[in-house]
């Protein structure tokens, strides 16, 4: 955001199952209206997962659970995504409690009439014309399906370091198309903190035991090496939780010009610490 101007150039970034999509940027607005449609594929390692009855009952729910939450992130654009403005996570099991509606992937596609053979008379052409043909679009994409619509109304977004007078919110719609069969029980996401000390304590202990043995063997071969080296595998955050060291790894939001390793290294060297 631009506190000096009292405004922002916000855009939305949607994440699901490793797929990331981004909306257009709304320039100089604190109340943006994107009206943007995101198409996020629901991918499977093998179609048999949701076709075979045994897999559909046992593996399919776990496959859907593994995809995680649907995440909506709001960013400020200033040449690059320079500032994180907040996010909202949606457990897609909530779509199961939505309102049933009729939706199509390309529902707004322009309908056209079939170009009939010139030998047919007007009555025959009118009889055969269904109006379902579309220009450059597969008719299956314009087919309407019954699905459950989750309507997010003024959902609170959080995570930004900026202070605001009012709580920022976001409104959106979410649904699967085509939807799942009525007999499928959509799994609820596990919202517990997986990186707790109790969950990772055995791994921390194994690391320390293995490294202790390695360090002793290393001392035998290299007596001049530091005797009490310690390579950590965890760290303690400001709240006192012990977390795995890889949790400190954060992706960089950079423009395409810095997409190469050489460009990134040059950019890092230019930063003053």
């Amino acid at each position: 955001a631009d506190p000096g101007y009292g405004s922002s150039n916000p855009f939305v970034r949607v994440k699901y199952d490793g797929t990331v999509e981004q909306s257009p940027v709304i320039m100089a607005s604190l109340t943006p209206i994107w009206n943007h449609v995101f198409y996020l594929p629901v991918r499977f390692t093998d179609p048999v997962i949701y076709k075979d009855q045994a897999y559909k009952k046992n593996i399919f729910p776990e496959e859907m659970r593994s995809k995680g939450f649907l995440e909506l992130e709001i960013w400020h654009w200033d040449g690059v995504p320079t500032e994180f403005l907040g996010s909202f996570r949606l457990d897609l099991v909530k779509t199961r409690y939505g309102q049933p509606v009729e939706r199509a992937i390309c529902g707004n596609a322009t309908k056209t009439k079939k170009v009939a053979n010139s030998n047919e008379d007007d009555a025959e052409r009118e009889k055969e014309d269904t109006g379902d043909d579309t220009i450059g679009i597969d008719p299956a994409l314009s087919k309407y399906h019954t699905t459950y619509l989750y309507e997010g109304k003024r959902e609170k977004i959080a995570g930004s370091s900026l202070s605001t007078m009012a709580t920022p919110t976001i409104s959106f719609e979410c649904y699967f198309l085509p939807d799942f069969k009525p007999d499928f029980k959509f799994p609820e996401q596990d919202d517990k903190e997986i990186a707790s000390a109790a969950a990772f304590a055995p791994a921390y202990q194994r690391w320390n035991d293995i490294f202790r043995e390695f360090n002793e063997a290393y001392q035998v071969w290299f007596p001049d090496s530091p005797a009490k080296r310690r390579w950590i595998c965890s760290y303690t955050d400001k709240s006192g939780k012990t977390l795995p060291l890889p949790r400190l790894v954060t992706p960089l939001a950079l423009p395409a010009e810095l997409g190469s390793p050489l460009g990134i290294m040059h950019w890092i060297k230019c930063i003053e610490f």
Side-chain angles (χ1 to χ4, degrees):
D2 293 322
Y5 294 96
S7 186
S8 179
N9 305 326
F11 68 91
V12 178
R13 183 175 288 162
V14 177
K15 300 180 178 180
Y16 180 67
D17 189 26
T19 301
V20 182
E21 293 190 9
Q22 185 171 307
S23 75
V25 179
I26 304 296
M27 302 300 292
S29 175
L30 294 178
T31 56
I33 300 177
W34 287 281
N35 283 334
H36 186 74
V37 180
F38 295 97
Y39 297 95
L40 300 172
V42 181
R43 301 171 296 186
F44 303 102
T45 55
D46 194 323
V48 74
I49 290 178
Y50 61 90
K51 292 182 178 179
D52 184 273
Q53 290 301 320
Y55 290 163
K56 189 175 181 180
K57 181 180 179 181
N58 302 314
I59 300 180
F60 191 29
E62 294 305 316
E63 175 78 8
M64 294 304 301
R65 191 198 308 274
S66 69
K67 298 180 184 302
F69 293 87
L70 176 71
E71 299 184 44
L72 289 81
E73 296 180 352
I74 295 82
W75 289 77
H76 167 70
W77 178 268
D78 191 11
V80 295
T82 54
E83 197 158 7
F84 178 68
L85 301 181
S87 65
F88 173 75
R89 293 199 313 172
L90 174 66
D91 189 345
L92 292 176
V93 72
K94 293 183 178 180
T95 59
R96 305 300 89 198
Y97 308 106
Q99 296 294 325
V101 295
E102 295 289 324
R103 288 289 190 273
I105 296 178
C106 299
N108 296 326
T110 303
K111 300 294 183 181
T112 63
K113 290 184 177 295
K114 292 181 178 179
V115 179
N117 193 324
S118 58
N119 294 328
E120 297 177 349
D121 57 24
D122 293 341
E124 290 179 347
R125 286 199 296 269
E126 190 68 25
K127 183 179 180 180
E128 294 182 2
D129 177 34
T130 62
D132 289 338
D133 286 356
T134 54
I135 301 176
I137 298 176
D138 191 305
L141 299 179
S142 59
K143 180 181 178 180
Y144 279 81
H145 303 267
T146 300
T147 183
Y148 288 99
L149 171 71
Y150 176 81
E151 193 171 4
K153 295 183 177 179
R154 301 182 65 84
E155 303 282 4
K156 295 181 180 179
I157 59 177
S160 175
S161 60
L162 298 175
S163 58
T164 57
M165 297 292 292
T167 302
T169 60
I170 188 170
S171 300
F172 60 93
E173 293 180 350
C174 178
Y175 52 87
F176 288 97
L177 201 68
D179 209 341
F180 300 97
K181 299 295 183 181
D183 60 344
F184 175 63
K185 187 176 180 181
F186 202 98
E188 185 176 357
Q189 291 294 331
D190 185 5
D191 199 19
K192 296 180 180 179
E193 178 56 61
I194 61 171
S196 62
F200 284 95
Y204 299 151
Q205 187 60 44
R206 281 199 308 272
W207 171 273
N208 292 331
D209 293 342
I210 293 174
F211 183 74
R212 189 181 303 109
E213 296 176 1
F214 172 81
N215 211 22
E216 292 174 356
Y218 194 88
Q219 279 291 115
V220 174
W221 286 94
F222 302 96
D224 296 334
S225 63
K228 296 183 178 180
R229 292 183 306 166
R230 181 171 176 263
W231 292 351
I232 60 175
C233 64
S234 61
Y235 73 99
T236 303
D237 66 0
K238 60 183 179 181
S239 64
K241 291 182 179 179
T242 302
L243 303 174
L245 205 59
R247 289 291 294 271
L248 293 174
V249 178
T250 303
L252 295 174
L254 299 174
E257 292 79 4
L258 298 179
S260 66
L262 186 61
I264 294 176
M265 293 304 298
H266 176 73
W267 174 70
I268 292 176
K269 289 180 180 179
C270 294
I271 299 177
E272 296 183 2
F273 292 93

